[in-house]
Amino acid sequence: MKFKKHYVSILAIAFLFASCTKDDVAENDVPLGAYDNGILILNEGNYGTPNASISYISNDFLTFQNNIFLTVNPTKVLGDVAQSMSFDNDKAYIVINNSNKVEVVNRYTFESLGTITENIKNPRFSVVLNGKLYVTNATSKAITIYDATTFSYIASIELNKTAEKIVTANGKLYVMNGAYGYGNQVTVVNPTTKAIVSTITVEEGVNSIEEKNGVVYVLCGNSARSKLFKINSSSDTATSFESTTLTGSLNMDVEGDKIYYTSGAGVYVMNTTATSFSETALISVAYTPYSTFYGFNVIDGNIYTADANGFTADGTVTVYNSTGTVVKTFTVGKGPNNFYSNK
């Protein structure tokens, strides 16, 4: 009888493994490409020089590779100032600012899929919504719209003001009207009618915008204060709070129920339900203007920071865990400015 029970157990285990279909294995275990299940680092390069690049770190930090775009596409040049990236299904849209183009690649293999140049004028940021790619342009002060699959130009939305970072919420586009420490507005656009719905006035020095669960978070920082706005995307009404002790907050990322932000040499964190800034740094570093925290994102509980090293040397990436302990450091390309989860 004892043998029989063991035999039944073995059969049950065998049945359990047999019940896992090939599709299950493919979906859960097989990478979609060499650059799946990791972090993409955008290195903007030196202004006026086509040395922008992209680096890759696997989620377990065991695999690291620089220049993945060039490695996969040896006959193409990424370009001059890689400003930002956005994603849609298996595609990545790489906004190349000074080269006036958007390079499109398979986000997992990095094989080139095409280049968008029509009506691109000093592009800054992009987002995909309902099959369309929306790109903000600094020179034309407009949002240009493209088919996200064919990459063909569709139309433009004239803002007639600074067109910078862009997010979507509740079926609408929210565009930050500020850059380099100047600007105090967010423009709300209806993408269906291509009409401006409203303009929301925030604090001078608007620099970061994020969406989470229908709330649009806007961070502003200047020499007098830091101020955070929470915009309800249903009504486009905003609430805010500020700190005059913690001034000049610059970078923000929202993950889970936490808001992470930087000010000077420190990284700070507060809950999304907070009504006041945390003024106790989680991480403190040596500070060099325009280099320290040039790139900053929080992904899966890890805090990714980048030092541009004055653009005279390759950038340094330092990864911290949620308690502020250094996990890993990497040397990447020139001017690392952003990190993106690729899974």
Side-chain angles (χ1 to χ4, degrees):
M1 292 293 293
K2 202 169 189 181
F3 172 80
K4 217 168 179 183
K5 285 183 182 177
H6 280 279
Y7 180 71
V8 171
S9 297
I10 291 168
L11 283 178
I13 293 170
F15 176 78
L16 179 63
F17 278 103
S19 68
C20 294
T21 67
K22 289 182 180 179
D23 288 340
D24 291 332
V25 172
E27 182 177 345
N28 296 325
D29 298 326
V30 179
L32 297 173
Y35 307 111
D36 190 9
N37 298 317
I39 306 298
L40 300 174
I41 305 167
L42 194 63
N43 307 299
E44 67 181 54
N46 297 101
Y47 183 83
T49 305
N51 62 344
S53 66
I54 297 174
S55 304
Y56 169 83
I57 305 171
S58 61
N59 287 331
D60 58 11
F61 304 125
L62 296 179
T63 301
F64 170 64
Q65 186 180 343
N66 280 322
N67 292 309
I68 64 173
F69 181 88
L70 182 63
T71 298
V72 178
N73 308 285
T75 62
K76 291 182 69 91
V77 175
L78 185 56
D80 183 356
V81 183
Q83 182 65 46
S84 60
M85 270 199 290
S86 64
F87 303 90
D88 181 51
N89 296 320
D90 62 350
K91 296 181 182 66
Y93 305 87
I94 312 166
V95 177
I96 311 297
N97 175 261
N98 206 36
S99 293
N100 290 304
K101 64 178 182 175
V102 176
E103 288 286 353
V104 187
V105 299
N106 179 296
R107 65 187 293 179
Y108 304 114
T109 67
F110 257 72
E111 178 185 359
S112 175
L113 301 176
T115 304
I116 301 171
T117 59
E118 188 173 359
N119 290 306
I120 294 288
K121 297 178 180 178
N122 200 212
R124 300 293 293 168
F125 294 85
S126 66
V127 70
V128 176
L129 178 65
N130 296 330
K132 295 181 177 64
L133 174 71
Y134 297 85
V135 181
T136 60
N137 296 267
T139 299
S140 60
K141 298 183 177 179
I143 302 169
T144 46
I145 310 169
Y146 306 86
D147 186 294
T149 301
T150 66
F151 319 139
S152 59
Y153 171 74
I154 297 173
S156 295
I157 302 172
E158 303 295 332
L159 298 183
N160 297 313
K161 61 180 70 174
T162 300
E164 188 71 359
K165 295 178 181 178
I166 182 171
V167 299
T168 67
N170 205 20
K172 292 176 284 189
L173 305 173
Y174 291 78
V175 185
M176 204 176 77
N177 308 131
Y180 308 111
Y182 298 96
N184 66 344
Q185 292 182 332
V186 172
T187 297
V188 186
V189 176
N190 182 326
T192 302
T193 63
K194 303 179 183 62
I196 294 174
V197 175
S198 63
T199 300
I200 301 169
T201 300
V202 291
E203 177 74 18
E204 185 67 22
V206 58
N207 58 62
S208 298
I209 187 167
E210 295 282 331
E211 184 277 337
K212 188 74 173 180
N213 298 326
V215 177
V216 178
Y217 297 84
V218 181
L219 181 67
C220 309
N222 54 48
S223 59
R225 61 180 53 81
S226 293
K227 197 162 186 175
L228 181 74
F229 290 79
K230 299 178 184 180
I231 302 172
N232 182 323
S233 64
S234 296
S235 60
D236 289 332
T237 56
T239 59
S240 65
F241 56 84
E242 67 180 48
S243 171
T244 55
T245 304
L246 190 76
T247 61
S249 291
L250 186 59
N251 300 293
M252 175 182 64
D253 202 5
V254 181
E255 187 183 68
D257 62 352
K258 305 290 185 186
I259 303 172
Y260 297 81
Y261 52 101
T262 70
S263 175
V267 175
Y268 301 80
V269 60
M270 61 184 166
N271 291 327
T272 52
T273 56
T275 55
S276 62
F277 279 89
S278 169
E279 297 176 358
T280 302
L282 173 66
I283 299 166
S284 294
V285 299
Y287 181 70
T288 302
Y290 309 110
S291 278
T292 305
F293 302 137
Y294 197 76
F296 176 82
N297 294 87
V298 182
I299 302 171
D300 295 334
N302 288 319
I303 302 166
Y304 292 80
T305 69
D307 193 316
N309 292 323
F311 288 85
T312 59
D314 288 339
T316 303
V317 165
T318 305
V319 186
Y320 301 84
N321 63 20
S322 59
T323 63
T325 301
V326 174
V327 176
K328 207 80 173 178
T329 59
F330 301 90
T331 299
V332 294
K334 290 285 196 308
N337 66 15
N338 227 322
F339 303 88
Y340 303 87
S341 177
N342 201 34
K343 61 182 179 179

